[in-house]
Amino acid sequence: MAVITLLTVSLIVFTLMEMVPGTCAERYLAFKNTQGSQISIDDIKAEEKRLGLDRPFFVRWGSWVGDVSLKGEFGDSCILRLNINQLLADKFWISLGICLAALILSYLIAIPVGIFSASSNSPATNNSLRFVSYLGLALPNFLLALIIMLASTVIFGDSLTGLFSKEFRDAAWSWARFRDFLSRAWLPIFILGWSATAFALQTVRALMLDEIGKLYVTAASARGVTGAKLLWRYPARHALGPVINSLGFDLNRIFNELPIVALILTLTEAGALLIESLARSNDQQLAGAIIFLLTASIVALNFVTDILLALLDPRVRRGLMG
Amino acid sequence: MTKPLISVKDLTVRFRTEEGLVTAVENVSLDIAPGEVLGLVGESGSGKSVTAKALMRLNAGNTRYADESRITLNLDDQGVEVLALKRDRDMRIVRGGAISMIFQEPMASFAPAITIGDQMVEQLLIHSSMTRVEAKELSIEMLARVGIPEPARRFNQYSFEFSGGMRQRAMIAMALSTRPKLLIADEPTTALDVTIQAQVIALMKDLVAEFGMAILFITHDLGVIAQTADRVAVMYLGRIIETGPVRQVIRDPHHPYTRGLLNALPKLEDLDSELTPVPGDIPSPLDRPSGCVFNTRCPVMFGEPCLAEIPQLMQDETGRMAACHLVARNRGAKT
Ligand SMILES: Nc1ncnc2c1ncn2[C@@H]1O[C@H](COP(=O)(O)OP(=O)(O)OP(=O)(O)O)[C@@H](O)[C@H]1O
Ligand SMILES: [Mg+2]
């Protein structure tokens, strides 16, 4: 299933890459042109031949998918003429890690708080929670990022930008580099997690209220089930399924917010790279690679949530096992 | 006379809502004797479920019971003032202990992701000193008793793997497993098709005889009541307007509303006669009529007292009661 989804995604991504006007060869040579070299039609033809662009669409798609899936090889960037794998290096994984961390953080907070707030009927708790989550939704991430940066510059004399200190920027991964990374990554994680938590809190709360209103909860309390058991074993347990269902969607949203935050904090990670490659240089190979990796991670996450769902929900489980 | 099993006195239930305080049940008094089947009928919204849930303290958080309301449960060893119970723990005696309830929607009353067996065992562990193994044995036995084939396999299944009729049987098995003194059945057959409905009713009658418990049987179907109940109470807009032995009430209804309900039923002996539903709509509970609650729809309304004065339930020589000014006047004229 996941494989079929990925193949479809790759076809769509590849088609989109193809739909960008002009081929890679033309674009590169045009770029050269601006730098003063003289370009002829023959040069373009030769370049296309070299890149294999004269082959039919499906053959090229096949070889792209083959390279990507079998060798994890994305080819060269159109313009920068660098190997995309080298260009991305671990930037993509770092951004994915930051987004996942923000996602996990937001649900770690939202699940217990959402469950308690839905089960409590004290107006004070409810109103203060509502206030906090509106604040989270209303305060844009970039504003929060700016405020924190400003504050930290004033207070610590360090702008906290970038993901590594100077001495670690190009170093190989080591425990020290990882610690350095963590000491800086908490900021984007926190900023991304901020609004994600507000969203997740609303989701969890709404789903919980939904479950609490259901007859099986009344029926359980009519059987004498009380207290924590009545909360966790019944509505909370049953609200978890739809909560997990919303994870893939949330990761997608967090990833969408990453570039802005990254831009402000000057993190040179994949999200910002994506914008750059799309906006500045029309680098379809690079953009395609990033989009494909992103979608693949979301498909992978959905695969994981499907498994979790099957573990949680007997209806799904029996459906799978027949 | 023996003490009633449960005695409801002047039960008034209001709900706090955004539109203000809504009265859903007003001055309801009723007794259920041990082993008796009391039918509670009335149109949708008349307060049947709210009354029933009050017995188990299951109404939502916005519920206010009036100060003078009393619900007394008389058990062999103790009397329980139901409305005075404070902690959830103490309410267990009326929640699955001495009183059990089955609901209209058998599908929705089981938690979808917990096996039927787990839910049965959980309840038994709460209400008895059984071990898990004993509780499982008893649960399987109960499933067998209500006519579920392969009970040991069914024990491990989820409610979505049961058919509608089977779910209601399982619900009954679960409700009876703690041997309650009173079973509240809130429209237990409304969601089932007719043949299954008949089977479930037959099963319930069997079990009443076997377990000797009392039943509060709620429905809006007088036909079902006629088959199952000993006594019937008719509710309208939160008030009981007539009670009496089922056969007598059906043969000779005193209150014009009861008469209206009966005229709305198809008659087998005369299928060509027109059905005459009770005319008009039930008024909104936010806008309760003053005087007799039925005066907006009553065909025999005769003015002044009906509009101004709430008629009280009056008992006649045979023990039947009706709350109607006309009935009271005619009776007065006779004597
Ligand atoms: N928690 C609540 N808050 C506000 N109003 C409520 C609440 N629970 C019940 N009511 C109202 O009380 C009235 C009586 O409801 P009840 O459920 O007892 O009717 P019923 O006789 O059981 O009808 P039905 O045949 O449809 O089940 C209705 O108007 C209902 O809207
Ligand atoms: Mg009801």
Side-chain angles (χ1 to χ4, degrees):
Chain A
M1 193 59 222
V3 174
I4 296 173
T5 318
L6 272 180
L7 270 181
T8 318
V9 165
S10 77
L11 181 60
I12 294 172
V13 170
F14 192 76
T15 314
L16 283 176
M17 284 162 60
E18 289 287 314
M19 270 161 54
V20 178
T23 64
C24 227
E26 286 167 13
R27 186 151 315 110
Y28 176 64
L29 295 176
F31 173 71
K32 278 267 161 135
N33 210 354
T34 59
Q35 315 224 312
S37 330
Q38 284 297 317
I39 301 296
S40 70
I41 296 287
D42 285 344
D43 287 334
I44 294 181
K45 281 266 155 23
E47 182 69 11
E48 277 184 350
K49 189 143 199 98
R50 196 182 69 77
L51 292 172
L53 290 178
D54 51 349
R55 294 172 299 165
F57 176 81
F58 278 101
V59 176
R60 277 180 288 130
W61 172 54
S63 81
W64 187 70
V65 169
D67 280 352
V68 168
S69 55
L70 297 180
K71 297 186 233 153
E73 189 61 59
F74 284 100
D76 288 352
S77 150
C78 274
I79 307 231
L80 303 172
R81 281 285 145 153
L82 289 170
N83 181 281
I84 291 179
N85 293 61
Q86 273 168 23
L87 203 60
L88 285 177
D90 37 36
K91 280 177 186 140
F92 180 80
W93 300 112
I94 290 175
S95 1
L96 189 64
I98 288 177
C99 289
L100 276 176
L103 184 72
I104 291 168
L105 175 78
S106 66
Y107 275 92
L108 277 184
I109 298 171
I111 288 177
V113 176
I115 287 174
F116 274 114
S117 82
S119 68
S120 120
N121 34 27
S122 117
T125 335
N126 282 337
N127 287 337
S128 50
L129 267 169
R130 200 167 296 157
F131 177 74
V132 170
S133 64
Y134 283 150
L135 199 67
L137 291 179
L139 194 63
N141 279 336
F142 68 87
L143 205 62
L144 184 69
L146 281 176
I147 293 171
I148 293 183
M149 260 174 59
L150 203 67
S152 68
T153 319
V154 172
I155 300 169
F156 306 115
D158 180 355
S159 66
L160 286 179
T161 52
L163 275 177
F164 296 101
S165 324
K166 269 198 207 70
E167 61 268 35
F168 287 112
R169 190 148 301 151
D170 298 311
W173 277 110
S174 65
W175 179 234
R177 188 175 190 245
F178 185 66
R179 280 229 311 263
D180 177 64
F181 168 69
L182 278 190
S183 74
R184 285 167 179 265
W186 70 265
L187 185 56
I189 291 175
F190 171 76
I191 291 170
L192 288 170
W194 171 266
S195 68
T197 306
F199 260 104
L201 202 58
Q202 300 235 324
T203 316
V204 174
R205 203 180 121 83
L207 290 171
M208 264 304 281
L209 285 176
D210 213 41
E211 292 297 323
I212 286 178
K214 289 194 178 162
L215 181 59
Y216 71 83
V217 181
T218 312
S221 92
R223 295 196 298 270
V225 183
T226 50
K229 227 177 177 185
L230 186 61
L231 179 63
W232 293 100
R233 188 165 145 85
Y234 288 86
R237 159 85 173 71
H238 289 82
L240 220 52
V243 165
I244 286 174
N245 247 337
S246 67
L247 284 181
F249 179 72
D250 276 5
L251 181 68
N252 198 1
R253 207 188 42 241
I254 295 176
F255 226 111
N256 284 338
E257 289 176 357
L258 182 62
I260 303 179
V261 173
L263 222 58
I264 293 173
L265 297 177
T266 57
L267 315 176
T268 50
E269 44 56 63
L273 204 62
L274 174 67
I275 289 198
E276 209 171 294
S277 59
L278 284 177
R280 273 199 219 137
S281 46
N282 261 337
D283 196 334
Q284 58 214 32
Q285 288 285 354
L286 182 56
I290 294 174
I291 293 174
F292 182 77
L293 277 173
L294 178 53
T295 340
S297 345
I298 288 170
V299 170
L301 184 71
N302 279 334
F303 187 66
V304 173
T305 58
D306 279 353
I307 290 173
L308 279 177
L309 268 186
L311 289 177
L312 270 177
D313 192 334
R315 282 163 294 189
V316 179
R317 188 162 66 234
R318 297 270 152 112
L320 286 179
M321 299 191 309
Chain B
M1 209 177 118
T2 53
K3 253 209 235 164
L5 170 66
I6 194 158
S7 159
V8 178
K9 281 251 164 335
D10 287 328
L11 178 69
T12 297
V13 187
R14 299 193 177 89
F15 293 109
R16 240 212 299 235
T17 68
E18 269 156 30
E19 289 95 35
L21 218 51
V22 178
T23 306
V25 171
E26 195 174 52
N27 284 94
V28 161
S29 297
L30 53 86
D31 287 352
I32 305 176
E36 181 186 39
V37 180
L38 175 68
L40 190 58
V41 284
E43 278 166 294
S44 196
S46 54
K48 307 182 296 290
S49 299
V50 171
T51 306
K53 284 183 185 167
L55 306 184
M56 297 173 82
R57 296 288 299 280
L58 284 176
N59 281 307
N62 60 343
T63 312
R64 299 289 169 271
Y65 296 103
D67 292 335
E68 72 277 9
S69 303
R70 292 275 175 285
I71 297 177
T72 317
L73 177 68
N74 297 306
L75 300 176
D76 296 338
D77 49 345
Q78 56 169 334
V80 180
E81 274 306 322
V82 177
L83 293 180
L85 297 174
K86 286 260 156 13
R87 297 182 312 157
D88 279 357
R89 230 157 223 298
D90 301 331
M91 290 185 198
R92 283 182 174 166
I93 183 76
V94 293
R95 293 184 177 171
I99 309 181
S100 282
M101 184 158 177
I102 52 182
F103 299 87
Q104 177 175 350
E105 297 288 339
M107 178 74 197
S109 22
F110 284 105
I114 307 177
T115 61
I116 302 276
D118 272 356
Q119 294 180 66
M120 294 183 79
V121 166
E122 176 187 49
Q123 182 192 16
L124 285 169
L125 294 183
I126 291 173
H127 295 288
S128 70
S129 49
M130 275 180 218
T131 63
R132 199 163 270 281
V133 177
E134 289 165 343
K136 179 173 176 181
E137 267 169 25
L138 177 63
S139 303
I140 294 177
E141 209 175 283
M142 284 304 299
L143 288 175
R145 176 64 194 85
V146 298
I148 290 178
E150 296 184 78
R153 189 171 68 88
R154 292 296 186 171
F155 178 87
N156 290 318
Q157 290 192 328
Y158 297 90
S159 65
F160 68 91
E161 295 170 286
F162 279 49
S163 69
M166 201 116 79
R167 267 179 223 132
Q168 200 57 297
R169 283 166 188 272
M171 201 70 213
I172 293 172
M174 172 146 75
L176 298 192
S177 63
T178 56
R179 296 234 160 208
K181 297 277 179 283
L182 172 66
L183 175 69
I184 300 175
D186 193 349
E187 311 206 26
T189 56
T190 314
L192 306 175
D193 64 48
V194 187
T195 37
I196 311 277
Q197 192 172 329
Q199 289 170 10
V200 169
I201 287 175
L203 172 69
M204 287 183 68
K205 279 164 102 173
D206 272 7
L207 291 170
V208 180
E210 185 182 327
F211 285 66
M213 70 202 155
I215 299 190
L216 176 61
F217 198 108
I218 300 176
T219 173
H220 45 242
D221 186 343
L222 272 167
V224 171
I225 286 286
Q227 295 173 51
T228 46
D230 303 318
R231 227 154 38 88
V232 62
V234 184
M235 272 189 101
Y236 182 79
L237 216 59
R239 299 187 73 98
I240 291 186
I241 50 94
E242 175 157 10
T243 70
V246 165
R247 270 161 222 287
Q248 291 178 31
V249 172
I250 288 180
R251 208 168 296 138
D252 172 29
H254 286 175
H255 197 284
Y257 176 62
T258 317
R259 220 171 305 145
L261 281 183
L262 283 163
N263 285 340
L265 285 179
K267 287 179 196 60
L268 277 180
E269 60 272 24
D270 184 9
L271 287 171
D272 294 331
S273 75
E274 248 178 88
L275 293 185
T276 42
V278 185
D281 288 319
I282 203 164
S284 149
L286 282 169
D287 184 24
R288 297 171 63 83
S290 60
C292 175
V293 280
F294 190 52
N295 66 25
T296 55
R297 297 166 79 188
C298 184
V300 295
M301 217 256 304
F302 62 96
E304 185 47 32
C306 297
L307 292 174
E309 231 179 281
I310 299 178
Q312 298 304 312
L313 271 175
M314 303 253 283
Q315 196 156 12
D316 74 0
E317 322 77 56
T318 62
R320 292 181 55 185
M321 298 204 271
C324 175
H325 290 302
L326 190 65
V327 172
R329 194 160 77 167
N330 290 345
R331 204 175 289 157
K334 257 189 270 169
T335 50

